Amino acid sequence: MEISTLAMYHCLAFVWYFFVAYSITHIRTEERPSEVFLYGGQWKYLTVLNLFLQAVFYGVSFLADVLRLIKKLRCAKCIISSRDLLFSVLAFPVSTFVCISFWTLYTYNRELVYPKSLDGVIPLWLNHAMHTAVLPFALLEILALPHRYPAKKKGLILLGFVAFLYISWVLWIYSVTGEWVYPLFTLFSPFGLAGFFAGSLAIIISFYSFGEFLNRMIWGQFKF
């Protein structure tokens, strides 16, 4: 794509994610179903955290495009490095994980991840914006321009650290409230839950590797 076209795309994507994140975080608390507890607010859900992650990523991408357009190449190089790190380690694998894991569990038994009572609170379009559209956006980003991936060890360490932080947050919420963020977790024993978290980490790592594979297949090895 031309840089000006990329800038427009990244700007629109940023506005879209900002709007979706704003919409979900401003649902009135009095409308929440009884199954949804208040502690942690919307910030306990990976889906909502991913929306803000995507907004940050597209904001950084738009800034990189603008700097390239105005020929501030030294600044642009630094921002591009941050953009690529965000995309490779977090934006692509987390979006892919959110979409595929959500709809897999939803198809199996929606009450485990998205109780039917939420249909009266969260519009259908917003559900798909949070859980469906994130994957096409991530794939389009790979098709739109090449991204430099970090060394495999560095990328996996960063991804594992972020996963550890989120799991710790989920466990902290349970220790305080006695409630699990997702009803699914009530089905597991402590060992079963550890296995579930380990399996989820393995899956998200596979999505990281898949994104790297797609990037290499489409763009090959490249240099800035």
Side-chain angles (χ1 to χ4, degrees):
M1 284 188 187
E2 295 285 339
I3 297 177
S4 57
T5 304
L6 276 174
M8 183 177 298
Y9 163 65
H10 285 143
C11 181
L12 291 174
F14 168 74
V15 171
W16 165 252
Y17 274 113
F18 184 86
F19 170 70
V20 173
Y22 177 87
S23 299
I24 192 64
T25 55
H26 283 74
I27 291 175
R28 291 181 295 178
T29 56
E30 61 267 22
E31 294 181 350
R32 68 184 176 87
S34 59
E35 305 97 308
V36 179
F37 57 94
L38 289 176
Y39 188 86
Q42 303 285 5
W43 304 105
K44 57 181 173 284
Y45 299 112
L46 183 60
T47 296
V48 176
L49 293 173
N50 181 54
L51 293 177
F52 281 89
L53 167 64
Q54 301 305 317
V56 170
F57 164 70
Y58 282 106
V60 171
S61 297
F62 177 60
L63 176 59
D65 297 335
V66 171
L67 290 173
R68 291 173 68 193
L69 282 171
I70 62 176
K71 307 300 183 182
K72 299 289 186 179
L73 298 183
R74 182 175 297 181
C75 295
K77 187 174 182 180
C78 178
I79 300 299
I80 287 171
S81 296
S82 300
R83 177 202 70 190
D84 288 346
L85 190 65
L86 268 175
F87 180 76
S88 61
V89 175
L90 294 176
F92 182 84
V94 174
S95 285
T96 307
F97 180 80
V98 164
C99 179
I100 293 179
S101 63
F102 176 83
W103 288 112
T104 299
L105 292 169
Y106 185 99
T107 302
Y108 173 71
N109 181 358
R110 66 170 297 177
E111 295 299 318
L112 297 177
V113 289
Y114 194 83
K116 191 172 180 61
S117 55
L118 288 175
D119 289 346
V121 179
I122 299 177
L124 182 61
W125 74 266
L126 187 51
N127 181 20
H128 283 292
M130 294 188 298
H131 298 115
T132 308
V134 292
L135 181 54
F137 266 106
L139 292 172
L140 181 57
E141 179 67 20
I142 282 185
L143 294 172
L145 74 161
H147 298 83
R148 173 172 286 173
Y149 273 66
K152 194 68 170 260
K153 182 178 179 180
K154 177 183 177 181
L156 294 181
I157 288 175
L158 288 173
L159 179 58
F161 178 69
V162 173
F164 171 77
L165 289 180
Y166 181 68
I167 292 171
S168 298
W169 173 228
V170 168
L171 294 175
W172 170 259
I173 291 173
Y174 178 75
S175 72
V176 172
T177 66
E179 300 281 349
W180 287 112
V181 171
Y182 298 103
L184 169 69
F185 296 160
T186 62
L187 302 179
F188 296 107
S189 66
F191 287 109
L193 190 62
F196 176 82
F197 286 147
S200 297
L201 179 59
I203 290 172
I204 202 169
I205 286 174
S206 72
F207 291 148
Y208 170 92
S209 298
F210 179 62
E212 186 177 27
F213 168 78
L214 285 180
N215 187 74
R216 190 186 314 113
M217 288 295 293
I218 295 170
W219 299 103
Q221 299 294 335
F222 69 95
K223 295 181 180 180
F224 291 117

